[in-house]
Amino acid sequence: MRKRPNILLTGTPGVGKTTLGKELAQRTGLNYVNIGDLAQEGQLYDGYDEEYQCPILDEDRVVDELDEKMIEGGVIVDYHGCDLFPERWFHIVFVLRTDNTQLFTRLENRGYSGKKLQDNVQCEIFQTIYEEAMEAYKEEIVHQLPSNSPEDLDHNLEQIVQWTEQWMKDHN
Ligand code: DAT
């Protein structure tokens, strides 16, 4: 079996992880896993957050559920957090970044309002996820990618496809 890398796409909700991840999976043949969807399918929850009106992820069960697949390799993981995963899982981590005004509009279009909208935009302003990634992984594997325009999306796709091809050459 050819060795294939595991890629983490992370960042504040609305920055474009799903859009990038699905297209990337098509172009590279890697498997795309959306942690939100995985949790919903398996009901991998541990309670309910009244403030944000959403279920709370059971992080241990999510990790157990995915571990075998991650050891095999070739997985693109999409989640708006990154310190719940074992460090050993990922060969590279991309933190997508979007300008505040644009992110605000995207989340409003998604139906977010009030505190949920404000907190998410603030999360981006304070670069919370980037700092979380820098703490959880070796700095040299963490990369920020601008995700403001279709041109950014194309550029990011090209870069990651190229990186993936090079990784496979180097490891097979
Ligand atoms: P996430 O998975 O990070 O929550 P998404 O992929 O669902 O984000 O994208 C949120 C919205 O933004 C969606 O309407 C598509 C749009 N979008 C994603 N990437 C973009 C880009 N590079 N330029 C413009 N719009 C983008």
Side-chain angles (χ1 to χ4, degrees), residues 20-32 76 157 161:
L20 177 66
K22 287 186 171 166
E23 184 63 30
L24 197 59
Q26 290 231 321
R27 295 205 194 176
T28 58
L30 302 186
N31 299 312
Y32 169 80
I76 300 165
L157 279 165
V161 168

Side-chain angles (χ1 to χ4, degrees), residues 36-140:
D37 293 348
L38 181 88
Q40 193 174 18
E41 281 158 22
Q43 289 294 299
L44 308 175
Y45 298 130
D46 181 20
Y48 191 82
D49 187 325
E50 293 295 342
E51 190 180 357
Y52 289 102
Q53 302 265 309
C54 64
I56 298 164
L57 205 65
D58 186 332
E59 299 185 351
D60 291 342
R61 282 175 67 209
V62 167
V63 169
D64 283 350
E65 178 82 19
L66 267 182
D67 197 44
E68 211 172 303
K69 215 174 179 170
M70 300 304 292
I71 289 167
E72 246 174 57
V75 184
I76 300 165
V77 170
D78 164 350
Y79 192 57
H80 58 258
C82 56
D83 62 2
L84 65 157
F85 308 117
E87 191 186 348
R88 64 181 161 81
W89 274 8
F90 297 106
H91 301 98
I92 198 159
V93 175
F94 294 104
V95 184
L96 273 61
R97 303 299 309 272
T98 301
D99 294 342
N100 316 322
T101 45
Q102 180 153 178
L103 186 66
F104 187 94
T105 310
R106 287 188 200 170
L107 292 176
E108 235 183 359
N109 290 340
R110 190 180 269 186
Y112 285 22
S113 62
K115 184 170 166 54
K116 190 167 177 176
L117 178 58
Q118 270 174 22
D119 285 359
N120 278 292
V121 172
Q122 242 181 42
C123 170
E124 186 60 9
I125 293 171
F126 291 134
Q127 46 185 30
T128 310
I129 312 285
Y130 176 62
E131 280 172 17
E132 188 180 313
M134 291 290 272
E135 294 240 320
Y137 301 91
K138 289 206 184 83
E139 288 186 13
E140 58 266 30

